[in-house]
Amino acid sequence: MSDFIFETTPRAICRFGGAQELGKLCAETGAKRAFILSDPGLEKAGLTSGPCASLRQAGVDYLLWTGVQADPPEESILEATRHALEFGADIVIGLGGGSSMDTAKLVALLCGKPQNLADIYGIGLATGPRLRLIQVPTTAGTGSEVTPISIVTTPTSEKKGVVSPLLYPDLALLDAELTMGLPAPITAATGIDAMVHAIEAYTTKHKKNPLSDSLAIRALQLMTSHIDDAVSANPGRAAREAMLQGSMMAGMAFANAPVAAVHALAYPLGGHFHVPHGLSNALVLTEVLKFNRDAAMQHYGELATAVMPDQRFSNDADACDAFIAFIAAMVARMPFAQKLRDVGVAQSDLDLLATDAMKVERLLINNPREVTFDDARAIYALVL
């Protein structure tokens, strides 16, 4: 067995209604001034009121900043950092989806140790210390509460990542109650995003390891068996909890066994067309699975056995094809856009998308099969 290193968030609390304990948990750290990052939609939906009330009750001063933007641009992160420094924050709380949590990571880092974002894009370039950090996800998708990665949109509309163990939060607080009112299209897109994390972690060319494999399989089992309930008209608590826990497990998996071509091809869609990250992944997922078929046949076959335990397959190819068909059918019945043209992409945009996808080398190197410019463009064309 190959050597490996596995790292993750040191503490996770999964408890329905647990967000009401945020103040107590902050106070236990000795924090006095909490800077909370969220977005206007969550504030309007009332999801910030409970956590804020718990901070007041615990005697923790706080500033709620709801300026988080989707696919956070550099200027948004720097603006949030200025507010946190002016407030004198000693703890940062990310309350929301991936954009809120990714922004929170970098605000905690930049408040603790000023540094230029442009200097720390890449792996292991950030320096500490950082402020204390708690992440409270309100979607079941990104897994950002257990990853050392923050994705930023640069002024040139590229998506770049800061990757450092410093970005693991001190605590991940998972409260499925916060996800109960999530609209079906968002539930679907974020759920598929988390499944992509599990699939790509399991099939990654680099750093594949038995802990990530186990987490990826269990995450995929939880999410594939509950996503239809989660996007239904009346989703149950069990489905919401399963999706949230599955998302966390998938996050733990890909934090240590990195993702690949699905994400690399998804990033330009977010950068140029502002397509939400989960939907970007969903749009290209099926065609990337087909592209990887021969190179990932054994691993896709193993995943087929995990998510379709009652089926028997005659060989790896049979199992692999069944898995691809299973995922394709799931994506096709989700309540979101199914084609690139539905999100504003035209034939004339394909060269731009393929060019930018090829810049995401840190992810493309993990793909089971090498991806060229022509391959990327062909995949986009098939989804157009």
Side-chain angles (χ1 to χ4, degrees):
M1 183 179 294
S2 300
D3 296 343
F4 68 94
I5 297 173
F6 188 92
E7 298 176 310
T8 193
T9 298
R11 187 183 185 201
I13 298 175
C14 301
R15 184 175 299 140
F16 198 83
Q20 306 301 321
E21 302 173 27
L22 181 60
K24 178 173 71 76
L25 293 166
C26 278
E28 287 174 357
T29 71
K32 302 294 185 184
R33 298 177 69 79
F35 185 70
I36 311 171
L37 294 110
S38 194
D39 64 64
L42 289 179
E43 184 179 30
K44 184 178 180 180
L47 292 182
T48 60
S49 58
C52 288
S54 76
L55 289 165
R56 285 195 299 271
Q57 292 166 4
V60 178
D61 291 334
Y62 69 89
L63 175 63
L64 173 63
W65 189 77
T66 57
V68 171
Q69 298 180 37
D71 299 311
E74 288 181 357
E75 60 267 25
S76 174
I77 292 165
L78 296 177
E79 181 185 356
T81 301
R82 287 193 294 270
H83 283 284
L85 287 169
E86 290 170 2
F87 177 66
D90 57 8
I91 190 168
V92 175
I93 300 167
L95 174 65
S99 295
S100 293
M101 291 189 286
D102 279 9
T103 302
K105 290 175 182 179
L106 292 176
V107 169
L109 179 70
L110 297 179
C111 285
K113 178 68 178 296
Q115 50 208 298
N116 293 322
L117 282 174
D119 294 336
I120 59 175
Y121 291 136
I123 300 173
L125 300 177
T127 57
R130 61 154 172 79
L131 299 187
R132 285 166 283 199
L133 177 62
I134 295 176
Q135 300 282 35
V136 187
T138 60
T139 64
T142 67
S144 185
E145 69 274 11
V146 289
T147 71
I149 306 163
S150 183
I151 302 299
V152 181
T153 303
T154 70
T156 58
S157 296
E158 289 182 65
K159 282 195 171 186
K160 292 191 175 183
V162 179
V163 185
S164 168
L166 290 164
L167 300 188
Y168 282 116
D170 302 293
L171 169 66
L173 177 58
L174 278 69
D175 178 2
E177 187 174 25
L178 296 175
T179 72
M180 291 300 292
L182 204 63
I186 297 176
T187 298
T190 56
I192 297 297
D193 182 23
M195 292 185 203
V196 173
H197 294 156
I199 294 167
E200 294 204 301
Y202 194 80
T203 59
T204 190
K205 188 182 289 186
H206 299 289
K207 298 186 179 181
K208 182 175 168 66
N209 66 83
L211 284 180
S212 287
D213 285 352
S214 297
L215 287 162
I217 286 174
R218 184 56 184 149
L220 206 55
Q221 289 171 330
L222 281 171
M223 293 184 290
T224 55
S225 59
H226 287 90
I227 192 168
D228 288 305
D229 185 5
V231 301
S232 68
N234 295 293
R237 171 177 163 177
R240 292 296 194 182
E241 290 180 323
M243 293 299 292
L244 194 58
Q245 291 179 24
S247 172
M248 179 185 69
M249 292 177 188
M252 290 177 170
F254 92 84
N256 294 277
V259 293
V262 175
H263 277 74
L265 271 66
Y267 282 162
L269 294 172
H272 290 288
F273 295 93
H274 306 291
V275 181
H277 176 65
L279 178 56
S280 297
N281 275 332
L283 285 167
V284 299
L285 172 58
T286 297
E287 293 303 329
V288 173
L289 293 180
K290 292 177 181 177
F291 175 81
N292 286 338
R293 178 191 181 275
D294 292 347
M297 183 178 293
Q298 179 182 341
H299 292 144
Y300 286 168
E302 291 165 355
L303 292 177
T305 301
V307 299
M308 294 178 278
D310 296 331
Q311 292 194 31
R312 295 294 176 265
F313 307 105
S314 56
N315 51 49
D316 284 347
D318 183 29
C320 171
D321 291 340
F323 177 73
I324 294 173
F326 175 85
I327 295 296
M330 179 177 298
V331 171
R333 65 175 179 266
M334 290 295 112
F336 50 54
Q338 297 288 325
K339 294 293 183 180
L340 294 182
R341 59 178 174 269
D342 298 331
V343 296
V345 178
Q347 183 80 28
S348 58
D349 298 315
L350 299 189
D351 283 351
L352 172 65
L353 292 174
T355 297
D356 275 11
M358 297 312 297
K359 296 176 183 177
V360 195
E361 187 176 355
R362 71 178 181 88
L363 301 185
L364 290 174
I365 61 172
N366 303 315
N367 202 58
R369 178 181 171 188
E370 182 183 357
V371 181
T372 67
F373 171 89
D374 289 340
D375 294 329
R377 194 186 188 287
I379 290 170
Y380 286 130
L382 287 167
V383 187
L384 187 61

